[in-house]
Amino acid sequence: MITKRVLVTGSAGRVGRAAVRELAARGHHVVGFDLRPTPGIPAAQSVVGPLGEVEALRKAAAGVDCIIHLAATPDDARYPRGAAPDDGDNFLSELVPNNVIAPYQIMETCRVLNIPRVVLASTGQVIGGHLIEGTTPVTAAHPYKPRYLYAATKVFLEALGQVYAKEHGMQVLAVRLGWCPRDPGQVAEIAASELFQDVFFSPGDAGRFFAAAVEAANLPDYAVVHATSRHLHAPRYDLSDAGRLLGWQPRESWPTGASEFA
């Protein structure tokens, strides 16, 4: 295996830590970029700051073979929206700067520095309507049915990746991630729902997925794949594209790894 230099944004988050841990265990040189120090790598490889600091971002990305872009505001501040006056959202304050402008800076960094591959973390929320309707398993060919404003920013993310792949000759993989919980409350939500259990994404499976995305010898210019752990009740996402392109298959299922967040 050829070792790679990889920049992981959002590297101190729940999925980021899993990706960093697996990549480092396989011998890759990992640079983390987050608002907090990144566990599991030397301090010199942990860059602390916002993605809006473009000079720092490009310095951290210099010489890397791949960027895994995970950093984002992770959801809508409120869903469903309340009635006025209790109807505020975080679209202008958080979703636009973190989920629209920051991905643009990532793609511009890849263009300017000639970084050949970028993995963009999208979400199953972009096709959430299909999950609710039960038109599953959802494939990459299903039309968008976004849940709300956060999901709309991830539709933009996927389109942005497609544009840069087409116009600037880089390999862009957009991955619609399952649910890797952030806190005990989300663990409880997953425990209460068969659907949520079937879209659960364990830290171990997440780490192995991102390692496979870095290590795959060849990828198309642009592709969308789904990534979850193994379902318990019914297949909700079609995972076959991840298997075909990356040689990745989930090994775990709910609740493996959930205790990390309980």
Side-chain angles (χ1 to χ4, degrees):
M1 181 188 70
I2 300 174
T3 58
K4 302 292 182 68
R5 295 179 63 89
V6 185
L7 173 65
V8 180
T9 72
S11 49
R14 73 219 188 275
V15 178
R17 294 193 305 271
V20 167
R21 182 168 57 233
E22 184 68 22
L23 288 165
R26 297 186 185 204
H28 299 294
H29 180 90
V30 182
V31 177
F33 199 110
D34 204 302
L35 295 173
R36 298 168 291 159
T38 301
I41 55 176
Q45 293 165 220
S46 173
V47 181
V48 177
L51 291 176
E53 294 182 356
V54 177
E55 184 176 345
L57 171 63
R58 294 189 180 177
K59 182 178 179 181
V64 304
D65 301 294
C66 179
I67 294 180
I68 297 174
H69 178 52
L70 299 169
T73 294
D75 209 342
D76 297 293
R78 183 180 294 120
Y79 177 83
R81 199 169 189 153
D86 186 26
D87 62 347
D89 62 53
N90 59 338
F91 185 73
L92 293 177
S93 62
E94 295 182 332
L95 293 176
V96 168
N98 297 335
N99 295 13
V100 175
I101 296 173
Y104 165 77
Q105 297 293 5
I106 290 291
M107 299 312 297
E108 274 294 283
T109 293
C110 290
R111 181 186 68 83
V112 170
L113 298 182
N114 294 313
I115 296 169
R117 181 174 298 182
V118 58
V119 183
L120 299 174
S122 184
T123 173
Q125 288 195 30
V126 300
I127 42 81
H130 295 294
L131 298 176
I132 294 170
E133 295 165 4
T135 51
T136 55
V138 183
T139 72
H142 278 69
Y144 291 115
K145 285 197 175 184
R147 175 178 178 264
Y148 202 52
L149 298 177
Y150 163 75
T153 68
K154 292 298 188 174
V155 173
F156 170 80
L157 176 84
E158 293 187 13
L160 182 73
Q162 189 172 26
V163 165
Y164 272 76
K166 174 178 176 290
E167 298 296 338
H168 301 297
M170 60 185 72
Q171 295 177 347
V172 179
L173 182 70
V175 50
R176 296 173 182 168
L177 299 173
W179 192 353
C180 193
R182 294 190 296 276
D183 54 50
Q186 292 192 352
V187 172
E189 285 186 72
I190 297 172
S193 166
E194 289 188 358
L195 169 59
F196 295 163
Q197 291 167 21
D198 286 337
V199 300
F200 170 70
F201 201 22
S202 74
D205 280 335
R208 287 184 288 273
F209 172 86
F210 285 105
V214 167
E215 293 170 0
N218 293 294
L219 290 177
D221 291 344
Y222 178 76
V224 174
V225 299
H226 296 98
T228 71
S229 290
R230 299 174 64 181
H231 65 270
L232 290 180
H233 310 284
R236 313 293 180 161
Y237 297 152
D238 181 353
L239 305 182
S240 62
D241 286 334
R244 176 176 57 84
L245 293 174
L246 308 178
W248 174 84
Q249 298 288 341
R251 300 179 190 175
E252 300 171 344
S253 59
W254 169 262
T256 304
S259 60
E260 292 187 24
F261 310 96

